[in-house]
């Protein structure tokens, strides 16, 4: 175990020719013609390769595999004084010399001196994780350094992460957790163990006397939060919440009397006051005594022992816990959950600037969290993400106005809209498979929200607009789409990208500007043949029904059936979920209805 924890316990390779295809497909329910466009791009040329490298170096390259391809000469303007009269902070992203040796593990122990070296204005910002979350952590750090915030530390739960971060120039300490390096999954025993590590970490840092802004790795900072937090110097704790109904319409603290949702411990700020230290200790003791308690539930139970009265008339703080702790709830509109940001776009409707985005309220596991951050173009991927083998394919759906806007927003209209889009996406996935291209998913429109519990379509009092652009994981099983399914049963993998991919500034300009039209044609007509050769400019004509398409069909169908999830949940019915069906159009009379018997309660495969 690391020293801090003991104290608490006492208490893609380059290719010769790279062809990229972008495709636009306009499909009706009955229409069979596809009108598509694509780009040809060859980064094998030295000029192209140089331009990619230069554009990436403007933002420090982030490696998803923890390799050493992170440029050693990259630095951020983060040399700021940490304390009056103290030494300046060491520059983040300035990697150690390549010929140097890794310091001994002992030197990475969490100590008051280590925190003091990184703190600024007595504040330290901390996240932690294992190697499976390396790319999330690099994204988290990159956003802060882009905001000129450098008083941060990352806790490494395994030595693989610690070493990888050290060689990238990221301030890191050893948590002594000896955790697995793989993704643990929400709700698993290891997930709960990670939650307890957070509590132990808070108890270790608070006695050092520094303010602590503790963050989960699946969130990003969009705006420097420190000036906002400094507005409430009397607060012992400021915490985010899962509130989805707005309690204020400006940037004040949330109205604590209206916050009925859980306090979310993914973003919260602690001051080293006596009430805060007391709460932290009781929280730690509670979790260590019962390993079945979820850390967030434990915090809520303790904090809500008392709620109120208000500390004063205008600060938004209130007394909680034992009646002496001053607590504030960060506003739900600008310290955003996955619902207020991706579903409601609450900050946008209220014309506010969001400080933070936390990928809660999503349905695709870690892959779903990553995909959502990519949809928002706030996730930092390495250059190879924008250089997929075989190239890309995209299409623009054609959706009738009636499906989006006419009639009531109910189950029938929602599923009619989704099914219409699903059929077009199914066709695009088939073309992507045949052409060996990576499909850029289209924006997805929904008329009803998705939640874990019964609801009338959208939550009463929320700012969810109907229809709304919904995250891909509202309908599709993003974690399955990105999983390596056995090819002998499911056919070749079909890679995907987020709908905003073509608008991402990290996408090389050459890709954006080079296009090729691709159309489906009747087999046997002139220049109509199955080919993935897009090296010639102009037009590629591809047969609607090729022999290859027929041979792949059954495996392709097996794959497609697993790509969609459920809608949840109908009120006053158990179970209330309804399965999406990629092949709904092959079942005459198909209606969106929940299973009527236990035997019917299974996906459509």
């Amino acid at each position: 175990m690391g020293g801090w924890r003991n104290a608490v316990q006492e208490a893609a390779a380059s290719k010769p020719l790279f062809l990229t295809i972008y495709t636009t497909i306009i499909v009706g329910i009955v229409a069979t013609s596809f009108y598509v466009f694509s780009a040809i791009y060859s980064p094998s040329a030295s000029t192209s390769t140089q331009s990619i490298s230069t554009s990436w170096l403007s933002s420090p390259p982030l490696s998803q595999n923890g390799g050493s391809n992170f440029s050693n000469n990259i630095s951020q303007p983060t040399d700021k004084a940490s304390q009056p009269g103290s030494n300046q902070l060491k520059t983040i992203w300035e990697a150690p010399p390549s010929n140097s040796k890794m310091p001994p593990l002992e030197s990475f122990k969490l100590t008051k001196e280590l925190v003091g070296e990184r703190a600024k204005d007595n504040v330290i910002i901390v996240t932690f994780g294992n190697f499976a979350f390396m790319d999330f952590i690099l994204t988290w750090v990159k956003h802060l350094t882009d905001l000129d915030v450098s008083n941060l530390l990352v806790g490494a739960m395994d030595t693989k992460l610690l070493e990888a971060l050290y060689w990238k120039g990221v301030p890191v300490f050893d948590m002594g957790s000896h955790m697995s390096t793989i993704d643990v999954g929400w709700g698993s025993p290891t997930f709960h163990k990670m939650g307890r590590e957070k509590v132990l970490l808070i108890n270790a840092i608070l006695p050092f006397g520094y303010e602590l802004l503790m963050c989960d790795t699946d969130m990003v900072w969009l705006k420097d939060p420190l000036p906002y937090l400094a507005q409430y110097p009397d607060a012992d704790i400021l915490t985010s919440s899962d509130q989805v109904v707005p309690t204020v319409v400006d940037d004040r603290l949330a109205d604590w009397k209206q916050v009925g949702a859980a306090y979310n411990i993914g973003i919260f700020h602690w001051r080293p006051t006596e009430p805060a230290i007391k709460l932290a200790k009781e929280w730690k003791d509670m979790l260590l005594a019962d390993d079945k308690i979820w850390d967030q539930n434990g915090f809520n139970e303790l904090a809500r022992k008392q709620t109120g009265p208000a500390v004063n008339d205008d600060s938004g703080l209130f007394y909680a816990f034992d009646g002496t702790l001053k607590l504030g709830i960060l506003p739900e509109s600008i310290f955003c959950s996955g619902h207020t940001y991706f579903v409601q776009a609450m900050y946008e409707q209220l014309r506010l600037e969001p400080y933070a985005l936390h990928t809660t309220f999503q349905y695709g596991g870690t892959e779903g969290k990553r995909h959502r951050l990519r949809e928002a173009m706030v996730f930092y991927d390495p250059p190879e993400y924008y250089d997929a083998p075989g190239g890309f394919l995209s299409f623009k759906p054609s959706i009738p106005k009636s499906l989006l806007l006419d009639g009531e927003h109910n189950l029938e209209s929602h599923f009619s809209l989704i099914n219409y889009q699903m059929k077009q996406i199914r066709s695009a996935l088939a073309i992507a498979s045949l052409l060996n291209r990576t499909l850029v998913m289209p924006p997805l429109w929904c008329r009803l929200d998705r939640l874990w519990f019964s609801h009338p379509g959208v939550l009463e009092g929320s700012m969810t607009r109907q229809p709304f652009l919904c995250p891909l994981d509202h309908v599709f099983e993003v974690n399955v789409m990105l999983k390596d399914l056995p090819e002998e049963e499911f056919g070749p993998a079909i890679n995907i990208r987020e709908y905003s991919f073509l608008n991402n500034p990290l996408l090389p300009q050459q890709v954006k500007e080079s296009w090729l039209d691709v159309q489906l044609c009747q087999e046997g007509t002139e220049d109509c043949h199955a080919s993935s050769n897009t090296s010639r400019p102009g037009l590629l004509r591809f047969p609607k029904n090729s022999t290859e398409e027929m041979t792949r069909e059954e495996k392709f169908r097996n794959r497609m059936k697993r790509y969609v999830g459920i809608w949840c949940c109908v009120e006053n019915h158990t179970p209330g979920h309804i399965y999406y069906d990629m092949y709904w159009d092959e079942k005459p009379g198909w209606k969106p209805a929940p299973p009527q018997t236990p035997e019917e309660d299974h996906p459509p495969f």
Side-chain angles (χ1 to χ4, degrees):
M1 298 287 179
W4 72 267
R5 195 174 180 210
N6 289 335
V8 171
Q9 294 295 348
E10 290 176 5
S14 177
K15 296 173 289 299
L17 181 63
F18 179 75
L19 306 175
T20 305
I21 177 170
Y22 290 108
T23 308
T24 296
I25 306 171
I26 303 176
V27 188
I29 287 293
V30 179
T32 58
S33 296
F34 292 75
Y35 303 94
V36 297
F37 58 93
S38 69
I40 305 174
Y41 173 49
S42 175
S44 59
S46 60
T47 54
S48 299
T49 304
Q50 181 61 38
S51 66
I52 292 176
S53 176
T54 302
S55 67
W56 184 251
L57 289 179
S58 64
S59 299
L62 307 179
S63 169
Q64 287 185 309
N65 59 14
S68 59
N69 65 339
F70 195 78
S71 176
N72 288 343
N73 61 2
I74 297 172
S75 62
Q76 296 288 334
T78 56
D79 287 338
K80 302 295 181 181
S82 59
Q83 302 283 344
S86 70
N87 295 328
Q88 291 184 328
L89 296 183
K90 292 180 180 178
T91 301
I92 297 177
W93 302 122
E94 186 174 316
S98 58
N99 60 352
S100 62
K101 293 183 178 180
M102 181 78 188
L105 191 61
E106 184 78 10
S107 63
F108 292 94
K109 282 186 176 180
L110 181 65
T111 63
K112 183 176 182 178
E113 291 71 28
L114 177 64
V115 175
E117 290 175 1
R118 297 267 14 132
K120 177 185 176 183
D121 298 327
N122 209 52
V123 179
I124 189 69
I125 309 173
V126 175
T127 193
F128 68 97
N130 65 354
F131 186 77
F133 289 88
M134 175 79 167
D135 52 352
F136 283 90
I137 291 170
L138 293 176
T139 293
W140 182 87
V141 174
K142 177 67 167 56
H143 275 279
L144 284 173
T145 57
D146 279 354
L147 294 167
D148 203 19
V149 176
S150 56
N151 48 321
L152 61 90
L153 278 170
V154 177
M157 304 184 77
D158 58 71
T159 54
K160 188 176 181 181
L161 175 65
L162 187 145
E163 293 179 4
L165 292 178
Y166 171 78
W167 289 112
K168 291 183 183 296
V170 175
V172 61
F173 65 91
D174 176 27
M175 293 182 64
S177 306
H178 306 294
M179 281 283 293
S180 168
T181 60
I182 63 173
D183 186 9
V184 297
W186 193 95
S188 67
T190 309
F191 172 85
H192 289 294
K193 182 179 186 296
M194 290 183 71
R196 280 153 176 73
E197 296 288 346
K198 177 190 296 184
V199 180
L200 296 175
L201 186 53
I202 292 170
N203 275 271
I205 293 178
L206 286 181
F208 295 161
Y210 296 100
E211 295 181 26
L212 170 64
L213 177 54
M214 175 62 71
C215 317
D216 283 355
T217 58
D218 63 340
M219 60 81 56
V220 296
W221 291 107
L222 306 174
K223 188 176 178 180
D224 181 359
L226 299 181
Y228 185 94
L229 301 175
Q231 294 180 96
Y232 304 98
D234 294 332
D236 297 302
I237 298 175
L238 295 169
T239 182
S240 58
S241 78
D242 289 334
Q243 183 72 17
V244 296
V245 175
T247 64
V248 292
V249 294
D250 51 27
D251 63 356
R252 293 176 296 168
L253 289 177
D255 184 344
W256 58 273
K257 295 184 294 295
Q258 297 183 38
V259 176
Y263 305 150
N264 189 292
I265 63 174
I267 307 171
F268 62 161
H269 179 254
W270 293 67
R271 286 193 171 88
T273 62
E274 183 178 340
I277 292 173
K278 180 182 177 183
L279 172 55
K281 184 179 184 305
E282 289 197 21
W283 187 21
K284 178 199 70 176
D285 292 342
M286 170 191 285
L287 297 184
L288 294 180
D290 187 349
D291 59 7
K292 295 182 177 61
I293 299 176
W294 181 25
D295 57 340
Q296 182 165 289
N297 287 348
F299 177 81
N300 275 265
E301 181 180 333
L302 291 172
R304 292 177 184 269
K305 280 185 175 181
Q306 178 176 329
T307 52
V311 172
N312 51 45
D313 293 334
D314 54 9
S315 71
L317 301 175
F318 63 100
Y319 289 104
F321 179 44
D322 61 356
T324 67
L325 182 130
K326 295 184 283 293
L327 182 63
I329 312 301
L330 297 168
E332 56 281 334
S333 58
I334 52 179
F335 290 84
C336 306
S337 69
H339 198 279
T340 62
Y341 189 95
F342 287 104
V343 176
Q344 299 186 54
M346 189 185 291
Y347 73 93
E348 191 176 73
Q349 296 195 67
L350 295 176
R351 302 297 189 267
L352 300 172
E353 294 183 9
Y355 280 87
L357 163 57
H358 191 190
T359 54
T360 54
F361 289 90
Q362 66 84 42
Y363 307 91
T366 302
E367 293 84 358
K369 293 173 182 283
R370 188 181 289 109
H371 192 86
R372 284 214 184 176
L373 293 176
R374 286 170 170 164
E375 287 182 333
M377 295 190 294
V378 295
F379 196 82
Y380 291 100
D381 282 294
E384 53 265 29
Y385 185 74
Y386 305 94
D387 185 14
F392 303 97
L393 180 147
S394 72
F395 78 101
K396 183 178 180 181
S398 175
I399 305 175
K401 166 185 169 292
S402 59
L403 287 179
L404 277 170
L405 302 174
D406 290 1
E408 295 182 359
H409 296 290
N410 54 33
L411 283 173
E412 287 71 25
S413 63
H414 170 75
F415 272 82
S416 293
L417 173 61
I418 294 297
N419 286 348
Y420 190 94
Q421 297 172 92
M422 191 186 301
K423 186 175 180 179
Q424 297 182 57
I425 292 171
R426 187 181 77 199
S427 297
L429 286 165
I431 296 173
S433 178
L434 292 171
L435 294 179
N436 297 315
R437 298 293 187 260
T438 293
L439 178 64
V440 179
M441 298 295 290
L444 189 66
W445 286 94
C446 292
R447 294 182 71 145
L448 300 184
D449 198 357
R450 174 180 178 177
L451 294 158
W452 292 276
F453 49 85
S454 300
H455 62 95
V458 298
L459 293 176
E460 185 177 354
S462 71
M463 298 182 70
T464 304
R465 295 168 289 191
Q466 292 176 284
F468 64 97
L469 281 175
C470 50
L472 187 65
D473 59 75
H474 263 44
V475 175
F476 287 83
E477 297 286 272
V478 176
N479 53 322
V480 175
M481 298 179 81
L482 298 176
K483 185 179 180 181
D484 290 330
L485 298 174
E487 187 168 339
E488 61 273 13
E489 184 178 357
F490 301 102
I494 309 172
N495 294 321
I496 64 168
R497 293 293 187 267
E498 64 281 3
Y499 73 84
S500 57
F501 181 79
L502 300 181
N503 296 320
N504 196 308
L506 294 178
L507 186 72
Q509 190 64 27
Q510 293 91 334
V511 176
K512 298 179 182 180
E513 294 177 349
S514 183
W515 301 92
L516 172 71
D517 290 335
V518 181
Q519 294 180 358
L520 293 190
C521 54
Q522 189 64 44
E523 190 170 13
T525 58
E526 184 179 0
D527 294 330
C528 183
H529 56 274
S531 172
S532 60
N533 179 16
T534 58
S535 59
R536 65 181 183 88
L539 177 68
L540 172 67
R541 289 164 57 79
F542 193 84
K544 297 177 184 178
N545 298 297
S546 67
T547 303
E548 185 178 11
E549 181 178 350
M550 300 304 293
T551 59
R552 287 187 180 186
E553 183 176 3
E554 191 57 39
K555 293 180 180 179
F556 176 81
R557 289 173 66 90
N558 286 342
R559 179 178 289 274
M560 289 301 101
K561 290 175 183 179
R562 288 159 174 80
Y563 270 19
V564 288
I566 62 171
W567 180 84
C568 192
C569 284
V570 176
E571 293 184 296
N572 303 317
H573 193 285
T574 302
H577 53 255
I578 302 172
Y579 291 95
Y580 290 109
D581 190 341
M582 189 71 93
Y583 291 96
W584 60 274
D585 54 321
E586 298 179 0
K587 300 175 180 178
W590 185 94
K591 297 291 182 183
Q596 301 302 304
T597 65
E599 290 73 25
E600 296 176 1
D601 188 11
H602 60 82
F605 55 84

